[in-house]
Amino acid sequence: MTASPADAPGEVGRPRWRPTWPTLWRSLWPGLLAWQLAWAAMLLLDGHVELASQAMLLILAAAVAAIWWRPLPAALAIGVGVMGFNFAFVPPRGTFAVDLHHHGLLLLAMLTVSWIISALMARLRATAAQAAAQAERADQLRRWGDRLRDAEDPAALAEELLALLRQSSGQPAALWLAAAPVDGPQAASRVGSSSEKGRLSGRADAEQLARLRRCQHEGRPLGPGSGRLEDQPDTYLPLRGRGACLGAALLPGLGAGPELPGDAELRAQLQALCDQMGAALQRAQAARQERQAREQAQQQGLRNALLAAISHDYRTPLATIMGAASALETQVERLDAAQRRQLAHGIVEEAERLARLTDNTLQLARLDAPGVQLHCDWESAEELVGSALRQARRHDPTRRLRARLEPDLPLLWCDAMLLSQLLANLIDNALKYSPEGSPVELRARRDGRQRLLLAVRDRGAAIAAAEREQIFEVFRRGRGPAGSPTRARPPGAGVGLAVCRAIARSHGGELRLRIRAGGGNAFECLLPLREPPAQPPPEPAAEPMPDAAPGPSPGNTAEPSP
């Protein structure tokens, strides 16, 4: 069965039949061939079979031709065929006279049965074409829905929607997308608020643009078949979401001309495409609002945490500093040199603790903020480790901190200040929570080809399984070393490990806790490695200057040597 392009099952536009000579010939020749074969068979069998058997061949040809031909040509061909059969085979031959008693019923039955078969075939063909068109429309909606579901920004697919509207309707199209969600219903009895700002894709004059905004504002179709602005030839379709309208589509001239049988289905298809776009835009806006609300809640929670840290954990070092400074100010004559040194040492120690707490809190606030920018450069792992050792050994009088570095470590693309703070926090944590005199080791080595491992290991009590993830949370602190009295918690705010994990993740790495087989804990920071930049070639050595010509040089009055 052959159909014209406008009637093809894959086409979702208007079902108008626009025959052309190639398509007309493709639909005619199978039926013509069937009629020719039937007449050839009837002529060959003439005189050998009964007249009723020959009539069955004509009915067969009519049924076969009806598969390709439309109802009117098929009915005309059947009428001509029955008349030709009467002229050629029904006695008296060579005339159109009919013996009503013998052959009239046969010819009437032939004509009726052939017409019935032709009508049934035409209806079957129309039903098959309609089912194929509906399947194509459903598949088009499914593909468009999948495309919108996978898109991060549905507004970027405006041109694709325009192409679908043009392909389906056979008309030019324009699209208006509102700049902000518009609260408006889909029901005709409610009206939402409109937005004058938006983006227009396609061509539309000022009057059409005003109607596009009106369609978006009211959330209902405009134009022929919509019950509103019926006298206008253009059709306006809203991009509807759930309780909101986020734009409108213009199809110029879609309602011009008489109403065709497929127009209602076509408008429903186009509206479904627009509604899918509206729902996708609404989902994207809801996702953006949810992300903004989550970021605001995160920032608010961080502010609350910072206020809690300042109000609680800053008081102890400040009180110690103020007490020692007050004693030095008011009782300096009564204190000997050792007591003054002890008070001054306490001030310095608490001030350093306060500075470290402030740095950790500020870094945590900065790293948790969205869109944080690091100040990265190529750094030497040996220099980072050496700087951490020099800083930590000022607070390690027993010098129990050791370092082991793999030779020829690659350069790191990192923020040196943040990584120094990470190592300082891990070392301070290990010294604070391990027994006095137990060794603490800082290691740096490759972990495969793509990562560098920075690890701080101690010999303290293994952290309980239930606390191994909790210790990386803000304001979580573990118990003191096993040898300390009552295992009281060491001083601190509980933000050091949280800052360390935030620093590691901001560099694309990870901080993990591993319990050592021989006892103790190992905090391991895995950082990704990059290819270092190519070193520029060494500059060539300067060419020696040619010897000067003989004669006195400026500033030198000596005679040149011979």
Side-chain angles (χ1 to χ4, degrees), residues 78-334:
I78 291 170
V80 173
V82 170
M83 292 177 64
F85 183 82
N86 179 26
F87 185 83
F89 299 106
V90 177
R93 297 192 179 195
T95 67
F96 290 104
V98 178
D99 186 355
L100 297 179
H101 294 285
H102 293 87
H103 304 113
L105 182 61
L106 174 63
L107 294 177
L108 181 62
M110 289 172 58
L111 186 64
T112 304
V113 170
S114 299
W115 278 350
I116 291 175
I117 291 175
S118 176
L120 291 176
M121 291 300 298
R123 178 174 294 183
L124 179 62
R125 186 171 59 249
T127 303
Q130 184 179 8
Q134 290 176 350
E136 175 63 20
R137 292 190 184 105
D139 188 60
Q140 185 187 54
L141 290 175
R142 179 190 58 78
R143 293 195 304 268
W144 178 233
D146 293 342
R147 187 77 176 92
L148 289 173
R149 186 188 63 242
D150 298 336
E152 294 183 2
D153 182 15
L157 302 181
E159 293 298 330
E160 293 188 26
L161 177 58
L162 283 178
L164 287 175
L165 295 177
R166 296 189 190 108
Q167 175 189 354
S168 299
S169 64
Q171 303 289 339
L175 194 65
W176 167 259
L177 297 181
V182 178
D183 294 330
Q186 299 176 14
S189 59
R190 298 176 57 192
V191 177
S193 61
S194 64
S195 173
E196 293 297 325
K197 297 181 180 180
R199 188 181 71 183
L200 177 66
S201 299
R203 295 184 178 180
D205 56 30
E207 187 176 356
Q208 290 172 332
L209 182 58
R211 292 198 184 101
L212 280 170
R213 290 172 176 169
R214 177 179 175 183
C215 179
Q216 175 217 341
H217 167 62
E218 298 182 358
R220 294 187 301 169
L222 304 177
S226 65
R228 306 180 71 256
L229 296 181
E230 292 280 352
D231 57 333
Q232 297 294 328
D234 303 335
T235 297
Y236 300 85
L237 301 176
L239 274 60
R240 301 176 296 194
R242 186 177 181 84
C245 184
L246 295 97
L250 163 65
L251 297 165
L254 182 62
E259 182 78 10
L260 295 178
D263 282 356
E265 290 80 2
L266 176 60
R267 279 195 295 268
Q269 175 76 6
L270 299 176
Q271 184 62 70
L273 292 172
C274 293
D275 287 346
Q276 283 187 321
M277 183 66 163
L281 290 171
Q282 189 178 31
R283 288 195 301 270
Q285 290 173 353
R288 284 194 295 269
Q289 292 172 357
E290 179 185 1
R291 185 167 56 252
Q292 291 173 358
R294 186 167 57 248
E295 291 176 356
Q296 290 176 358
Q298 181 180 4
Q299 292 175 359
Q300 186 61 39
L302 186 58
R303 293 190 192 99
N304 295 338
L306 293 178
L307 290 176
I310 292 173
S311 63
H312 180 269
D313 295 291
Y314 279 44
R315 289 181 178 178
T316 302
L318 285 175
T320 304
I321 292 173
M322 291 179 63
S326 176
L328 287 175
E329 180 184 19
T330 59
Q331 301 181 14
V332 64
E333 295 84 1
R334 301 179 184 179

Side-chain angles (χ1 to χ4, degrees), residues 503-524:
I503 292 174
R505 289 179 174 175
S506 66
H507 284 81
E510 185 57 45
L511 179 66
R512 67 190 183 189
L513 168 64
R514 185 174 60 84
I515 305 302
R516 303 178 67 182
N521 306 292
F523 288 92
E524 298 177 343

